[in-house]
Amino acid sequence: MIQTIGVVGAGTMGNGIAQTCAAAGIQVVMVDIQDAAVQKGLATIASSLDRLVKKEKIADADKTKILSRVRGSTRYEDLLSTDLVIEAATENLSLKIKILQQFDGMLPASTLIASNTSSISITQLAAVTQRPDRLIGMHFFNPVPVMALVEIIRGLQTSNETHAQVHELATRLGKTPITVKNAPGFVVNRILVPMINEAFFVLGEGLATPEDIDAGMRLGCNHPIGPLALADMIGLDVCLAVMEVYLAQFGDSKYRPSPLLKEMVAAGHWGRKTKQGVYNYA
């Protein structure tokens, strides 16, 4: 059974994963290359737990216990005592490969590695390590402490034992795991991002206003948020990049990016992070 976990990356996804693991009673080492990033990650976890205390979802004593299970570090050597290392770096293939190769060689042979990737090939990542059968994908969704789903992605080399251990862990974390074969976008983003892209086609053709398109999907399909508002949250640049990956890897014209989406990204209107996307956030 997995009892200690290392999380590489203290950003939004990394600290969310660390909090979720600690809340399940697991000891966590959260590693980042800069101490400032580590401290920011720890502060984010504390702030998140404070909100849960105020909402009376956890007691103040629970907050203290959870925080005591998370240790911050800037040293990969502190991952040596972990049963599983979850890589949660930025969604960039060369960066993920570099990070994996930095700590893979120093870990005990028994240690599992998971990548929290939303699009990068698990088979490709496994091939650059010394333990391809012990590498798997764990795609958490943002915000990690709230979202119930984890996509567990099997690379071509992933062993049944690795899959079984990680599947059991995801359940222990209070998540619902779904098992997915390695393919561009896996399952959720494979369906979601083309839907968002289609909403931009509809908008670009002038069929309805952004507000009415989003209202239609919220009220007609019971979605909690409309596709255009969701694109602003994700980042229009990210949505475009994903569609371009699908078009290149599948070679199917149904994945062609909407001209309006491309135009908005070129204009720097990337959504909430730039204060302007489909909607204005200034």
Side-chain angles (χ1 to χ4, degrees), residues 7 21 65 85 137 180-181 203 280-281:
V7 177
C21 293
K65 287 179 182 178
V85 176
V180 181
K181 290 181 180 179
L203 180 61
N280 185 283
Y281 302 92

Side-chain angles (χ1 to χ4, degrees), residues 130-184:
Q130 300 175 21
R131 64 195 75 216
D133 61 318
R134 304 183 74 77
L135 190 142
I136 197 166
M138 284 189 83
H139 178 207
F140 291 85
F141 290 77
N142 188 30
V144 179
V146 175
M147 299 295 281
L149 181 68
V150 175
E151 283 185 312
I152 298 179
I153 305 104
R154 298 191 63 151
L156 187 65
Q157 315 94 315
T158 306
S159 71
N160 291 335
E161 180 185 359
T162 297
H163 173 263
Q165 289 190 64
V166 171
H167 191 281
E168 185 276 334
L169 170 68
T171 303
R172 198 161 16 119
L173 295 180
K175 305 299 185 185
T176 299
I178 62 171
T179 299
V180 181
K181 290 181 180 179
N182 188 61

Side-chain angles (χ1 to χ4, degrees), residues 14-239:
N15 66 60
I17 293 168
Q19 176 184 328
T20 300
C21 293
I26 298 170
Q27 295 294 324
V28 181
V29 179
M30 184 172 65
V31 178
D32 210 304
I33 57 172
Q34 295 182 336
D35 186 61
V38 173
Q39 297 307 316
K40 183 178 179 181
L42 293 171
T44 300
I45 294 172
S47 178
S48 174
L49 294 173
D50 280 337
R51 289 193 294 273
L52 293 177
V53 171
K54 288 179 181 177
K55 293 178 181 178
E56 298 184 347
K57 292 189 175 182
I58 64 171
D60 199 56
D62 295 325
K63 172 195 167 184
T64 302
K65 287 179 182 178
I66 293 169
L67 286 174
S68 72
R69 297 188 190 111
V70 183
R71 179 164 62 96
S73 173
T74 57
R75 302 171 65 251
Y76 284 136
E77 289 79 4
D78 288 333
L79 299 172
L80 291 173
S81 60
T82 60
D83 301 314
L84 166 70
V85 176
I86 302 175
E87 170 273 311
T90 303
E91 195 73 352
N92 178 285
L93 175 60
S94 59
L95 176 63
K96 285 185 182 290
I97 288 175
K98 179 182 177 182
I99 290 172
L100 286 173
Q101 291 179 328
Q102 283 178 330
F103 67 74
D104 171 51
M106 68 176 64
L107 296 176
S110 60
T111 304
L112 304 179
I113 298 177
S115 176
N116 175 56
T117 177
S118 59
S119 62
I120 294 172
S121 168
I122 297 301
T123 297
Q124 190 172 2
L125 293 178
V128 305
T129 72
Q130 300 175 21
R131 64 195 75 216
D133 61 318
R134 304 183 74 77
L135 190 142
I136 197 166
M138 284 189 83
H139 178 207
F140 291 85
F141 290 77
N142 188 30
V144 179
V146 175
M147 299 295 281
L149 181 68
V150 175
E151 283 185 312
I152 298 179
I153 305 104
R154 298 191 63 151
L156 187 65
Q157 315 94 315
T158 306
S159 71
N160 291 335
E161 180 185 359
T162 297
H163 173 263
Q165 289 190 64
V166 171
H167 191 281
E168 185 276 334
L169 170 68
T171 303
R172 198 161 16 119
L173 295 180
K175 305 299 185 185
T176 299
I178 62 171
T179 299
V180 181
K181 290 181 180 179
N182 188 61
F186 312 132
V187 166
V188 174
N189 285 342
R190 169 81 174 272
I191 297 169
L192 175 65
V193 181
M195 182 195 73
I196 291 172
N197 188 53
E198 193 64 26
F200 277 93
F201 271 113
V202 169
L203 180 61
E205 292 166 17
L207 299 185
T209 65
E211 292 81 4
D212 283 351
I213 292 169
D214 279 349
M217 294 304 291
R218 288 199 319 273
L219 303 177
C221 298
N222 204 28
H223 289 190
I225 185 173
L228 299 173
L230 180 57
D232 278 353
M233 286 182 61
I234 294 169
L236 273 61
D237 57 324
V238 175
C239 294

